[in-house]
Amino acid sequence: MNNAEYADYAILAIGGSAGSLDVICNVLEALVAPTELAVVLCLHTGSRDVGDLCDVLSLHCALPVAEALDGETLAPNRVHVAGGGYHLLVERAGTFALCAGERIQYVRPSIDVLFESMAEAYRRRLAGVLLSGANADGAVGLHAIHRLGGLTIVQNPDTAAAREMPESALKLFTPDRQSSPSELVDAALDISRLARCIECRR
């Protein structure tokens, strides 16, 4: 896939768990600012308060980083972080919704729930990335992105601190890319450089 093909994507969704934080920080450092790219991040932290996580991510990112709030509009040039204790969904109108539903793969927020809702809302404009993690959350959601025409990237399990999450995706389907951390950084840089305006692509 060459750089020009990344121009089709205006929203970047990233999911990860154990062992993914360092990769996420490196990816965020690569994002150019300002950009028309919107970033949504779901990371298993085990905490209801993601304020400290947002502070840490802000140190590695030129874009504003904040917890995604119920009813808030997904906006470009911003990193939206799923809070703890609720599932985060993106509705077709481009707004966030919080749901206190059953835990999925023993976690809430669930990467699957977020990815599936974003796949329905953004289809071919969505790029989904699944990183290191110690459970299978995210595989089904990433597959939904793939089925609805979005770009799918899975961290190479050989480079992951916890292999189960990326391996679960690879067992389910063949993603567009299976990438090392450095390749993930390069992809994020290209997507953020080439992202088009969300509103003009609706």
Side-chain angles (χ1 to χ4, degrees), residues 40 49 58 132 146 169 180:
V40 184
D49 184 0
S58 294
S132 172
H146 182 75
S180 67

Side-chain angles (χ1 to χ4, degrees), residues 28 60 74 85 126 163 176 191 195-196 198-199:
L28 294 183
H60 297 271
L74 188 153
L126 175 63
R163 302 176 59 97
D176 297 298
I191 291 170
R196 299 175 185 174
I198 292 174
E199 290 302 324

Side-chain angles (χ1 to χ4, degrees), residues 59-74:
L59 297 175
H60 297 271
C61 188
L63 279 60
V65 179
E67 181 178 351
L69 303 178
D70 190 51
E72 180 183 26
T73 300
L74 188 153

Side-chain angles (χ1 to χ4, degrees), residues 104-124:
I104 308 295
Q105 296 287 341
Y106 308 103
V107 295
R108 192 176 56 217
S110 162
I111 300 168
D112 278 332
V113 170
L114 175 62
F115 279 10
E116 287 180 308
S117 70
M118 294 190 73
E120 290 287 346
Y122 293 107
R123 297 181 177 256
R124 293 183 180 276

Side-chain angles (χ1 to χ4, degrees), residues 6 8-14 27-28 31-42 61 63-66 68 72-81 90 94-96 114-115 118 122 125-129 188 191-199 201-202:
Y6 285 128
D8 289 335
Y9 307 101
I11 304 96
L12 177 63
I14 303 174
V27 166
L28 294 183
L31 301 179
V32 298
T35 177
E36 292 296 339
L37 183 70
V39 182
V40 184
L41 172 63
C42 186
C61 188
L63 279 60
V65 179
E72 180 183 26
T73 300
L74 188 153
N77 200 51
R78 183 176 298 271
V79 178
H80 305 272
V81 180
V90 178
T95 56
F96 291 112
L114 175 62
F115 279 10
M118 294 190 73
Y122 293 107
R125 290 176 289 137
L126 175 63
V129 178
I191 291 170
S192 67
R193 280 176 173 165
L194 299 170
R196 299 175 185 174
C197 173
I198 292 174
E199 290 302 324
R201 294 172 63 86
R202 286 192 183 280

